[in-house]
Amino acid sequence: MHTHPRSTASLADVRQLTYFRIYKTYPDEDHGTIRLFSNGNQQCPIKVGLIAADADENPIPLTDDEIRSALTLIFYDDGNALDGGYTSSFEKNRFTWIESAIPVRRPLESGSRRNGKAKASRVAISKPLAGIQTATLYVSAAHGSPGRALAARFQVTPNLFFTTSPSARDSKAQVRDGDFDSSVEVLLAEPPFLSVLDFGAASDGTVQGRKVGDSTTYFYWATEYYLNPKFNGSALPLDSVGLSASVGGAPPKGVFGFYTHGDFFAHVQWGISYYSQPGGTTVEPGALPMPPLYSLVASKAPSGATEGGPPSAATTTRGEHDASPDADLPQSMYQNCVGHVVGADKHRVVIGILKGNVPREFRDAKDGAVPDAIDTVMHILDSYGNEHTLSLSYDASADELTIG
């Protein structure tokens, strides 16, 4: 027996596989198991080992492209191509796969393996390991998909193919079914639901804030609120946040935020939110301020105003404070007061609120009045590909940020 050099042999010369197995970690796993979040984003790695050969069992080394063109995953129980939310790729995406972080398992469907039973893994394999070529495929499953066992298929031509599933007979004689028979059972976990307590809020959803930046020089200051999500007692690594839901695993699009007035005699007269991406020290572009809000103008208490009464647009004037001429622009106020996100962390969403205790009114770019936007929705995509949705609201009079 000899090995064909690449100059004289290719995929077209393959007539048989002398070794063919699918496994999670070790080639001697006949029927392994692997856990995965069924969110359509996270991928679990599944390995396939093979030795391609000619009619005389002389090994034929294949290129990566040749292996990829011939190798696919199928369902072990019926030999069909992946469907029902299952997909596979030779390319790994950006989402993290840590099997120990996936504790909840969905039971394997009845009959997913032949006769509904899994054969015990062999202690050792009978074929020599020399010359085995290995490929890794990354598998994902959409929400609602059933747990399934997967097998591998290697197709040289439409009439010449091999599988690791006895349920899908090879095109050649079946004498090697006992050698190739192997699978990896995918145990699916539903995407987790996190409560407000899991984000570090109180049971009523209120979040404690921390003053940051210079709160003495100006009539405004900043407060940061930290959402520190935990899953099964551990910090949940985060991918991105945004206004709209993730589509196809892409980061959520759009910016979220709110701006609102407090009562005229309240400690906080107005508040404007900002935020950063997880781990980012700069404010998300477009989030400070949220359009159509453009500027703040000074306002006087109307004649006979009582505590709790709103400012009157009729008494609005400009320049009635001691701050710099451009201090009524939220971006400038933020830069003067803080200038960056202080508590940035990759496991944290930082929501900041720029606040003031001197009456101001919100205006758009054309100096028109802008009504309050007291709440917003935030979509969080964690590093495992799970999405979480939170509503955010801020009561300026009570100076309380609430999530729900």
Side-chain angles (χ1 to χ4, degrees):
M1 181 187 299
H2 68 278
T3 299
H4 287 276
R6 280 301 305 167
S7 60
T8 60
S10 66
L11 179 64
D13 298 300
V14 174
R15 295 295 178 268
Q16 61 180 308
L17 298 184
T18 58
Y19 178 88
F20 192 32
R21 300 191 61 77
I22 184 173
Y23 57 96
K24 179 179 77 171
T25 309
Y26 303 107
D28 58 350
E29 297 171 349
D30 277 355
H31 301 287
T33 61
I34 196 165
R35 286 176 282 173
L36 176 70
F37 278 122
S38 58
N39 55 36
N41 295 323
Q42 188 185 49
Q43 299 170 314
C44 60
I46 294 180
K47 296 181 174 62
V48 177
L50 61 90
I51 299 178
D54 62 16
D56 297 322
E57 296 197 3
N58 295 310
I60 298 177
L62 301 175
T63 66
D64 289 343
D65 287 343
E66 287 175 326
I67 292 175
R68 292 185 176 196
S69 69
L71 182 63
T72 57
L73 296 184
I74 59 176
F75 290 125
Y76 177 80
D77 60 336
D78 56 19
N80 290 333
L82 301 189
D83 60 8
Y86 277 83
T87 60
S88 68
S89 173
F90 289 101
E91 305 300 328
K92 184 183 182 302
N93 64 25
R94 73 180 189 279
F95 295 104
T96 301
W97 180 76
I98 300 177
E99 194 168 25
S100 61
I102 311 173
V104 181
R105 304 184 182 187
R106 177 185 293 170
L108 186 69
E109 283 195 332
S110 177
S112 184
R113 286 211 173 115
R114 187 172 52 174
N115 300 324
K117 297 180 180 179
K119 299 169 71 175
S121 294
R122 293 183 296 180
V123 175
I125 58 177
S126 57
K127 292 293 180 182
L129 295 178
I132 292 178
Q133 294 187 268
T134 303
T136 301
L137 293 100
Y138 298 92
V139 175
S140 62
H143 178 69
S145 301
R148 298 291 295 268
L150 306 184
R153 176 186 175 105
F154 190 86
Q155 182 169 314
V156 182
T157 70
N159 298 317
L160 178 61
F161 60 89
F162 310 89
T163 78
T164 66
S165 166
S167 299
R169 288 301 193 185
D170 299 344
S171 57
K172 304 289 286 184
Q174 286 81 48
V175 294
R176 294 191 183 277
D177 279 346
D179 293 333
F180 293 170
D181 183 13
S182 56
S183 67
V184 175
E185 175 186 339
V186 181
L187 301 172
L188 294 179
E190 295 287 353
F193 172 78
L194 302 184
S195 70
V196 295
L197 297 176
D198 294 320
F199 282 94
S203 58
D204 63 356
T206 57
V207 183
Q208 293 296 315
R210 170 192 170 191
K211 269 191 174 182
V212 294
D214 182 1
S215 61
T216 60
T217 305
Y218 304 101
F219 63 89
Y220 49 85
W221 66 96
T223 304
E224 286 186 351
Y225 298 84
Y226 303 144
L227 305 185
N228 300 300
K230 291 186 180 297
F231 178 57
N232 289 326
S234 298
L236 179 66
L238 302 177
D239 180 88
S240 50
V241 298
L243 176 65
S244 61
S246 170
V247 176
K253 292 184 178 180
V255 294
F256 60 85
F258 48 80
Y259 40 85
T260 183
H261 291 98
D263 294 335
F264 193 83
F265 293 102
H267 173 62
V268 178
Q269 292 285 303
W270 52 266
I272 301 173
S273 71
Y274 61 88
Y275 69 96
S276 67
Q277 291 296 330
T281 59
T282 58
V283 173
E284 186 70 1
L288 181 69
M290 284 285 296
L293 176 59
Y294 175 75
S295 64
L296 291 83
V297 297
S299 60
K300 291 181 178 180
S303 177
T306 59
E307 185 169 353
S312 169
T315 59
T316 299
T317 59
R318 290 184 179 274
E320 296 190 7
H321 54 77
D322 297 327
S324 61
D326 63 347
D328 57 357
L329 297 177
Q331 277 283 0
S332 297
M333 300 167 81
Y334 170 78
Q335 292 298 333
N336 289 336
C337 179
V338 188
H340 68 283
V341 174
V342 177
D345 188 279
K346 65 180 180 179
H347 295 100
R348 170 183 294 167
V349 179
V350 177
I351 307 294
I353 302 180
L354 190 66
K355 305 174 182 179
N357 58 10
V358 173
R360 289 291 182 272
E361 290 186 347
F362 300 143
R363 297 287 172 148
D364 61 22
K366 295 183 179 180
D367 203 33
V370 176
D372 288 13
I374 64 173
D375 52 30
T376 189
V377 174
M378 173 178 63
H379 290 270
I380 301 173
L381 189 62
D382 68 36
S383 294
Y384 304 135
N386 300 308
E387 186 173 345
H388 314 269
T389 304
L390 287 178
S391 60
L392 308 175
S393 60
Y394 177 64
D395 183 336
S397 294
D399 193 17
E400 286 184 346
L401 175 68
T402 305
I403 66 171

